[in-house]
Amino acid sequence: MKNNSPYSLVSFFALGASLLLAMGTAALGLTAEEQLRFADGIYLRGLYESALAEYVAFVREFPNSSSADAAYYRIGECYRQVGNRAGADRFYAKVANEFPASPFAARAALRRAEIATADERYGDAVDIASALVKANDDGSAPFASPDDLASALYSLASAQTRLGHPELAGDAFKRILQETPKSPYAAYAALDLASLQAPRATSKNAIAQVDAWFQQAADSAASASAKAEALFRHGQWRYSRQEWRDAADIFQQLLVEFPDSPRAPAATLAAGWALLHLDDAAAALPVAEAAIAAATDAPSHAAALYLRANAFRALGRSGEALADYNAILATHADAPSAPFAAFELMTLHFANRDFEKTLSNLPPNPLPEQLPDILWMRAEAENALARTDLARGHYRELADKYPDAPQAPDALMRLGEIARADGRAGEAADLFRDVATRYPAASAAPAALRASALLRLDAGAPAEALADYDALLALAQPPPAEVLADARLQRALCLIRAGRSAEAEPALADLLAETDLPAAIRPRALYWHASLAAAAEPPRPAEAEREFRACLAAGPDADTESLARLGLVLALQAQDRADEAADQAALLLDSPESIAAHPSLIEWLTRHRLDQNRLRDAATAARALATHSTDASWRQIACLHLGQAFEQLERADDARAAYAAAIAQPAATREGAEARLRLAALELAAGESASAARRFADAAEAATADTDLDLRVRAYYGLAQAAEAQHDLPSAVRHYMSVAVLFDDPEWSPLALSNAIRLYDANGQTAARDAAIRDLRTRYPDSSFARQLPPEWAAAENAAADPATP
């Protein structure tokens, strides 16, 4: 947040010196490069007064740095950001005059032109910008990059516009597009050109050129607000020429990409209808919300409600959809969407299994095509409410009056289920068979035939059951592979039940020969085939053993697994093979030689035991590896795992000893750095904050590899915690901010920012607090820390901040 008070810097140094300056760079041990990056990071987060102090510290600590020109330029930037244009101008002049060869010299001059424009000294701004462009063009002082030329031209064009010279301004804008099309200023130049020329564009070529400039402005925009503005103006331009579809597409893009833009409400109505036709519910919902808020009459309000209800429904938010459908019926009963709203209201109650409301919300004037669905929902609701007679009547009416309705086969299925529940097995079997007879292509046909077969099998009629399975296998439209395979399996079991094992065995063998047999079927088929081998005359135990083992290896369900294990035991006993061992990895722990030869296997076993939460077993394996490994790296890793096991067993002293042993190993593994971190955390928890701080510092020093950045950020965070535990709040907030500024860790950076916010607030540094809040919301908007900020701090999210780059 900018502070225009001339006393802001004085008050900052008076109140914040102990927090930011007295600590010096030694507190973090930052190099010159890191100090400058830290100051840049503070600047980019809107902490301009704090950044100013860091830049001053930089030029004080490193006066001969090759980056002094950059620091002085950024001091000018900080002054500009806090509203002290005179101070900014002085430092910009210092850069331009004392460092003429610096890449910041041209930027400093351009800032001076901007200041002249801000002070309404447009002539001075034109003079400064023109001189820079001329020096570049004649080669006497060429710009370091095309972006600098673009910046100078944009300043020149802006000043000419203010002076009322649109042609001169247009020439400068066009030159930006022609000579520096990839610069950040190209988007603004294109947008300004389009806005200048749009009112006068009447020819086809002129219109095409304006469209091209608008599109270029959107495509090359450097910020969300700039792109939203370009899209909005382009949409207005298309809308003014009644190009409705193109305008809707542009407004839709704006609403999808920038739903919170101030320009969004004006684009809502046309975009909402376009999205409704495109069936894009996720994008239509915010458009509908905006349309409801903007509606000024009943028809548009009803249309917006209906759009939102359908979006809610498509997104699975049925409660909100129900509320909107009810609102339409209550306030807009004569609207064209009312009959559909009534039907969808009933449908949603049904989908939510609120059956009483399903029945109490029958549409008063249903459309003819809705009647089968309504009968189905009434029948299902009555059935769920145990009003079986009413349900039976609705199912029967549906099956008889609407035999071609998609619900008719299911209605017959329900009638069969009701008969089966009432104990009328024969009637139920006939009804199930009737489903397949009348609707052989229905998706319910295989299930109906299987249900009929099971009822007939239970009734002691395996031959009739076989007929149902044969009918299932003969369906013209084969069921899914798993259903078909299960039918073949069940048919074989029917043969076994009928005493026809000689036919069942080859049928199961044929089934098992299928290479694409579904995984859920193969174990059961293997079990029954093995059982037939075990029960044969004479028995074939070796064959049975192979197939029982294959069954267990195929991932059977729990019941089949139990039966297969029992069958395997019997088959092994029949072969006099009672004892066989398992779990070879665990036995290796008794062999020091095996441990030394296979340390990676034992380390895997240790981690696996930790994952299983078998902590004592994990400790045993880790201790064995630490004792018998001949390699220091493996011993270090083992000691870390041993400490982890003890820590989870709440044996803190043993854990500390294990971590200390890991640190003592003459090795430099990632686990060694992690052991330092874990030991530091235990010391911090035990109130030994000074020792913990040293450990955290050692961990940061040990975590030097690129892959160890996560450990380094944890170490820096630990330094902050240790400082806070020692009531050294200035150091604590500085360490927290170092985590946020120097790293972009999705877990630790938002946590560090939240703690820095807390300490800034406690210290009364509201500007720093609000800037950190904006940083948290911008970088980590979905983090719990951003969502849980106190409501009174919410204004920080929308506080303005100049996005200038140092």
Side-chain angles (χ1 to χ4, degrees):
M1 179 180 298
K2 292 186 178 180
N3 186 342
N4 293 320
S5 169
Y7 303 106
S8 58
L9 291 179
V10 175
S11 61
F12 167 75
F13 282 109
L15 296 176
S18 63
L19 181 62
L20 295 169
L21 295 179
M23 292 181 286
T25 58
L28 283 177
L30 299 179
T31 64
E33 179 185 356
E34 288 177 326
Q35 171 66 19
L36 188 58
R37 281 200 300 118
F38 181 50
D40 288 344
I42 294 296
Y43 174 86
L44 288 171
R45 285 154 180 81
L47 302 173
Y48 303 119
E49 293 178 336
S50 300
L52 178 60
E54 295 295 341
Y55 288 129
V56 170
F58 173 83
V59 296
R60 183 188 64 226
E61 296 292 334
F62 308 103
N64 297 320
S65 171
S66 61
S67 298
D69 57 333
Y72 284 122
Y73 173 77
R74 291 165 190 168
I75 289 172
E77 290 285 88
C78 290
Y79 274 118
R80 182 176 64 86
Q81 295 288 0
V82 299
N84 188 339
R85 290 200 293 266
D89 192 61
R90 284 195 299 274
F91 277 93
Y92 291 142
K94 181 179 180 68
V95 174
N97 295 330
E98 297 183 16
F99 302 92
S102 167
F104 293 95
R107 297 188 196 178
L110 288 170
R111 287 299 193 201
R112 298 190 71 198
E114 292 174 3
I115 290 172
T117 300
D119 291 339
E120 299 183 2
R121 294 182 287 109
Y122 305 123
D124 291 344
V126 168
D127 290 342
I128 295 172
S130 296
L132 285 169
V133 172
K134 183 177 182 299
N136 175 78
D137 292 346
D138 65 19
S140 61
F143 288 118
S145 73
D147 286 354
D148 290 337
L149 172 60
S151 178
L153 287 169
Y154 192 80
S155 293
L156 176 61
S158 298
Q160 295 285 21
T161 300
R162 299 294 184 89
L163 288 171
H165 302 151
E167 296 302 325
L168 294 175
D171 290 342
F173 285 137
K174 290 175 183 177
R175 187 173 172 187
I176 292 173
L177 297 180
Q178 292 166 358
E179 298 182 25
T180 62
K182 296 185 181 300
S183 76
Y185 296 91
Y188 299 107
L191 184 59
D192 288 341
L193 264 175
S195 298
L196 283 172
Q197 299 298 326
R200 296 187 292 274
T202 56
S203 69
K204 182 177 179 180
N205 289 340
I207 290 171
Q209 181 62 74
V210 171
D211 279 332
W213 282 331
F214 275 127
Q215 189 62 53
Q216 183 175 358
D219 291 343
S220 59
S223 68
S225 60
K227 184 173 183 180
E229 180 66 18
L231 288 171
F232 179 74
R233 293 194 200 176
H234 196 187
Q236 281 187 315
W237 168 244
R238 293 290 183 91
Y239 198 91
S240 70
R241 291 186 286 121
Q242 299 185 4
E243 296 179 4
W244 310 120
R245 182 53 185 251
D246 290 340
D249 289 343
I250 295 169
F251 286 135
Q252 175 192 349
Q253 183 181 355
L254 189 157
L255 292 168
V256 169
E257 295 187 23
F258 312 107
D260 298 324
S261 169
R263 294 298 196 179
T268 299
L269 187 59
W273 291 114
L275 291 169
L276 179 64
H277 289 296
L278 292 170
D279 294 326
D280 190 346
L285 181 57
V287 177
E289 299 283 5
I292 290 170
T296 57
D297 52 53
S300 62
H301 187 249
L305 280 176
Y306 190 69
L307 170 66
R308 186 173 72 175
N310 282 286
F312 279 142
R313 183 184 62 189
L315 293 170
R317 295 165 62 175
S318 60
E320 293 156 293
L322 287 171
D324 280 348
Y325 289 134
N326 274 317
I328 293 170
L329 296 173
T331 61
H332 306 294
D334 296 331
S337 58
F340 297 98
F343 176 75
E344 287 160 359
L345 183 66
M346 182 183 183
T347 301
L348 278 180
H349 283 308
F350 178 76
N352 291 337
R353 302 186 64 79
D354 192 339
F355 299 118
E356 291 288 4
K357 288 186 177 179
T358 299
L359 295 170
S360 64
N361 282 276
L362 294 175
N365 300 298
L367 301 174
E369 61 268 24
Q370 296 172 342
L371 293 176
D373 292 298
I374 292 172
L375 268 176
W376 172 255
M377 288 187 285
R378 291 180 70 185
E380 290 281 274
E382 298 288 10
N383 198 26
L385 294 170
R387 299 199 282 259
T388 308
D389 289 341
L390 291 172
R392 186 188 296 114
H394 294 317
Y395 287 132
R396 178 55 64 187
E397 181 181 2
L398 175 57
D400 292 345
K401 290 181 66 174
Y402 304 100
D404 296 330
Q407 301 91 340
D410 291 324
L412 284 176
M413 282 289 292
R414 292 290 193 271
L415 288 170
E417 291 164 1
I418 291 172
R420 180 172 57 187
D422 289 344
R424 302 189 306 275
E427 179 186 345
D430 290 341
L431 283 165
F432 289 135
R433 185 174 282 180
D434 195 30
V435 173
T437 301
R438 293 173 61 182
Y439 304 101
S443 61
L449 286 170
R450 188 174 186 277
S452 175
L454 292 174
L455 284 169
R456 298 179 196 283
L457 196 60
D458 289 343
E464 287 293 313
L466 275 171
D468 284 327
Y469 282 119
D470 286 338
L472 193 162
L473 294 171
L475 288 173
Q477 185 172 338
E482 188 164 344
V483 174
L484 192 62
D486 182 70
R488 293 174 65 186
L489 174 61
Q490 295 299 330
R491 183 181 183 279
L493 299 186
C494 283
L495 288 170
I496 295 172
R497 287 280 300 273
R500 297 159 60 180
S501 296
E503 297 175 59
E505 189 167 355
L508 288 169
D510 289 344
L511 182 61
L512 289 168
E514 300 287 344
T515 57
D516 57 349
L517 189 64
I521 302 300
R522 184 172 294 279
R524 293 159 59 200
L526 284 166
Y527 168 77
W528 284 107
H529 200 251
S531 297
L532 289 176
E537 288 295 338
R540 305 191 300 273
E543 180 183 340
E545 176 199 349
R546 288 195 302 272
E547 294 202 338
F548 282 132
R549 287 189 184 278
C551 171
L552 293 170
D557 60 82
D559 290 341
T560 304
E561 181 179 4
S562 297
L563 292 170
R565 288 197 184 281
L566 177 60
L568 179 59
V569 169
L570 296 175
L572 289 171
Q573 287 178 340
Q575 299 177 79
D576 296 325
R577 294 163 53 199
D579 299 323
E580 293 189 0
D583 203 355
Q584 297 299 319
L587 296 177
L588 286 177
L589 296 178
D590 295 327
S591 171
E593 296 80 10
S594 297
I595 294 171
H598 305 286
S600 61
L601 176 61
I602 305 306
E603 195 267 339
W604 170 86
L605 177 62
T606 304
R607 288 187 287 105
H608 188 64
R609 295 301 194 212
L610 285 171
D611 292 341
Q612 292 177 305
N613 204 32
R614 293 173 59 174
L615 302 177
R616 290 179 175 80
D617 291 341
T620 299
R623 188 183 291 107
L625 180 59
T627 301
H628 300 298
S629 176
T630 58
D631 185 276
S633 293
W634 286 114
R635 291 197 300 272
Q636 188 170 72
I637 294 169
C639 288
L640 171 70
H641 291 328
L642 183 60
Q644 290 174 303
F646 283 144
E647 194 170 350
Q648 292 183 63
L649 287 167
E650 299 183 0
R651 292 166 55 178
D653 290 340
D654 291 333
R656 291 175 65 164
Y659 292 142
I663 296 169
Q665 294 297 325
T669 67
R670 172 185 169 87
E671 287 77 5
E674 185 172 356
R676 288 171 169 82
L677 277 177
R678 289 181 173 273
L679 182 55
L682 289 174
E683 290 176 342
L684 186 62
E688 302 167 20
S689 55
S691 177
R694 290 191 295 271
R695 296 284 188 193
F696 282 125
D698 289 343
E701 185 175 352
T704 56
D706 291 343
T707 56
D708 295 342
L709 286 179
D710 59 320
L711 301 182
R712 190 171 179 86
V713 71
R714 287 164 57 190
Y716 281 4
Y717 186 86
L719 284 169
Q721 288 182 301
E724 191 168 357
Q726 297 175 78
H727 306 292
D728 184 0
L729 299 187
S731 293
V733 75
R734 190 175 177 85
H735 284 302
Y736 284 133
M737 285 305 296
S738 74
V739 172
V741 171
L742 297 177
F743 301 95
D744 186 22
D745 187 285
E747 176 183 1
W748 294 98
S749 294
L751 176 60
L753 275 171
S754 70
N755 280 298
I757 290 166
R758 171 174 55 82
L759 294 182
Y760 278 139
D761 185 69
N763 202 42
Q765 295 176 267
T766 56
R769 180 202 67 191
D770 291 348
I773 288 172
R774 288 194 299 275
D775 195 22
L776 177 61
R777 290 187 187 277
T778 300
R779 292 171 63 193
Y780 309 103
D782 296 327
S783 69
S784 60
F785 308 104
R787 293 195 303 269
Q788 295 172 7
L789 289 171
E792 61 269 20
W793 294 350
E797 180 181 12
N798 298 318
D802 191 321
T805 302

